[in-house]
Amino acid sequence: MQQNVSLKPYNTFGIDVDAEYFTALHNISQLPALSAAGITRHVLGGGSNILLTGPVKGIVIHNQLKGITVEKEDIDYMWLRAQSGELWHDVVMYAIEAGLGGIENLALIPGTVGAAPIQNIGAYGVEVKDTIETVDAWLWDEQKVQTFTNTECCFGYRDSVFKHSLKDKTLITAVVFKLSKHPVYNTSYGAISDELASLGVTEPTVKAIAHAVMNIRRSKLPDPKVIGNAGSFFKNPTIPTTQYETLLVHHPDMPHYAVSPGQVKVPAGWLIERCGWKGYKKGFIGVHARQALVLVNYGNARGVDIWQLSGEIVASVHERFGIELEREVGVW
Ligand SMILES: Cc1cc2nc3c(=O)[nH]c(=O)nc-3n(C[C@H](O)[C@H](O)[C@H](O)COP(=O)(O)OP(=O)(O)OC[C@H]3O[C@@H](n4cnc5c(N)ncnc54)[C@H](O)[C@@H]3O)c2cc1C
């Protein structure tokens, strides 16, 4: 265990604050001692969905649990067990090389396997929940690993039980994914079909789709190694259809997509852009010039300043549209 460790290399925003204590988790046999340690615990994966607003009290546990194995297979599916410290993109690559379908649209999402179920990562019309069979999690209080079924994870849009009743109560140790040997491709979302066409692909494969997604993501999203960020800072808000129809009177070009009867989702990026924030820059903080959903650190930003900027954005969207934005990024 180390003391007073800078977390700058461990969060994609690149915020420079210290952890009081820091340790790497390589084996679940370390967990009982960490459970008994009697200090506040913070589980750290790739640090790509957190904003550090000050020195972190207690112990930061950097997840390095590694391994991908085939749990079982039948004629239609293969079940892959990935340890939670594996990089998510490496699991996508493993699946693609094996010709397995289900997660190819989620290529290049940063972070670890263990964090993927927490916010039910999603992109290009696919959510990880549709491939998760079970999640193994160490329960800090009970000091044992419990297996949660997909239903028990209570997945929702960027949401799961691990953000609610199990928040801070577990360390996810492994996830089992059920992947298809006969993939059904989802190319209708975003620019995937256009990108496939420009790559000269006429017969999609999981590999071709993943490469198309990777090309699109690289062209649209800032690379955290170049500009600190945590991807989309806000969720896309869901509002009643009646509210949407009222808003259309003054904002006839407001985009939307139906989510359930009587409810529509509105792109948060569009709302933020319309409030004039796209490309905003003040000192080291800002809103990305090409993607209004992404808040950025241009150098030595403080987490509290980014947090305050996010609050100003929430307030201005509320004032103009009467819609309350919810933050997707967690705060430590
Ligand atoms: C450039 C960029 C693009 C992105 N694009 C997308 C996207 O398209 N779709 C999307 O959904 N997300 C996206 N994200 C957000 C992020 O990649 C995901 O939320 C990812 O799952 C976070 O993983 P992580 O390991 O970095 O989590 P961290 O940031 O390390 O942790 C996030 C939270 O989960 C907790 N946690 C982490 N691991 C565990 C564990 N094993 N057990 C218990 N708790 C744990 C942490 O304590 C923390 O509260 C993007 C981020 C960036 C920087």
Side-chain angles (χ1 to χ4, degrees):
M1 188 168 327
Q2 298 167 269
Q3 227 175 325
N4 300 326
V5 172
S6 168
L7 293 176
K8 190 174 164 82
Y10 299 103
N11 72 100
T12 59
F13 257 124
I15 305 290
D16 192 5
V17 293
D18 279 2
E20 188 179 12
Y21 297 101
F22 184 94
T23 194
L25 177 72
H26 293 285
N27 195 297
I28 59 169
S29 63
Q30 294 168 251
L31 290 170
L34 287 166
S35 300
I39 47 173
T40 311
R41 293 169 294 255
H42 307 270
V43 182
L44 178 67
S48 63
N49 205 31
I50 49 168
L51 177 65
L52 305 173
T53 53
V56 180
K57 289 270 171 231
I59 183 166
V60 170
I61 302 165
H62 190 213
N63 185 2
Q64 297 290 310
L65 297 174
K66 299 287 185 189
I68 304 174
T69 49
V70 176
E71 176 110 328
K72 60 177 181 175
E73 65 181 300
D74 65 16
I75 193 164
D76 297 319
Y77 295 99
M78 188 177 276
W79 284 259
L80 290 186
R81 169 178 289 272
Q83 299 304 309
S84 59
E86 284 287 344
L87 291 182
W88 168 254
H89 182 66
D90 288 352
V91 176
V92 175
M93 289 293 112
Y94 184 107
I96 285 165
E97 290 308 322
L100 300 168
I103 52 176
E104 58 280 2
N105 292 41
L106 305 179
L108 221 56
I109 295 182
T112 53
V113 165
I118 295 178
Q119 77 147 358
N120 178 24
I121 55 169
Y124 298 97
V126 170
E127 289 182 321
V128 74
K129 72 173 173 57
D130 295 327
T131 56
I132 289 181
E133 180 86 349
T134 55
V135 173
D136 283 0
W138 173 263
L139 305 178
W140 291 115
D141 291 340
E142 290 81 352
Q143 302 206 20
K144 61 170 191 184
V145 172
Q146 184 170 323
T147 299
F148 294 85
T149 62
N150 182 299
T151 310
E152 286 167 342
C153 291
C154 303
F155 290 119
Y157 166 59
R158 300 294 179 275
D159 208 12
S160 73
V161 70
F162 302 103
K163 282 188 164 187
H164 298 281
S165 59
L166 292 177
K167 186 173 163 49
D168 300 328
K169 294 196 184 324
T170 70
L171 183 148
I172 292 172
T173 55
V175 181
V176 175
F177 301 95
K178 181 183 176 185
L179 301 173
S180 176
K181 292 181 177 177
H182 318 288
V184 177
Y185 305 120
N186 185 341
T187 57
S188 58
Y189 200 90
I192 297 182
S193 40
D194 291 346
E195 183 61 26
L196 286 172
S198 75
L199 289 171
V201 175
T202 47
E203 295 282 318
T205 59
V206 284
K207 200 176 225 173
I209 292 173
H211 281 120
V213 166
M214 286 155 67
N215 286 352
I216 299 166
R217 291 183 71 95
R218 285 191 183 110
S219 71
K220 288 203 167 153
L221 287 167
D223 179 352
K225 289 192 190 97
V226 182
I227 304 176
N229 75 89
S232 304
F233 203 92
F234 302 96
K235 296 183 185 183
N236 291 320
T238 300
I239 60 171
T241 310
T242 46
Q243 184 184 2
Y244 173 71
E245 284 163 357
T246 308
L247 284 165
L248 269 188
V249 175
H250 294 293
H251 310 283
D253 57 342
M254 181 183 274
H256 76 291
Y257 44 105
V259 278
S260 57
Q263 302 258 289
V264 298
K265 214 176 257 188
V266 179
W270 186 90
L271 298 169
I272 296 166
E273 189 175 341
R274 281 303 159 105
C275 289
W277 289 104
K278 195 171 178 184
Y280 171 87
K281 187 169 185 286
K282 186 179 174 194
F284 289 120
I285 64 171
V287 178
H288 196 255
R290 272 181 289 133
Q291 178 49 271
L293 258 186
V294 178
L295 304 193
V296 292
N297 171 11
Y298 285 110
N300 293 322
R302 297 185 313 158
V304 281
D305 295 331
I306 293 176
W307 187 252
Q308 191 183 326
L309 171 62
S310 74
E312 288 170 29
I313 291 171
V314 171
S316 74
V317 167
H318 189 263
E319 192 183 319
R320 177 141 191 212
F321 298 104
I323 295 175
E324 191 73 23
L325 288 184
E326 194 186 333
R327 294 166 177 95
E328 181 180 313
V329 172
V331 65
W332 279 17

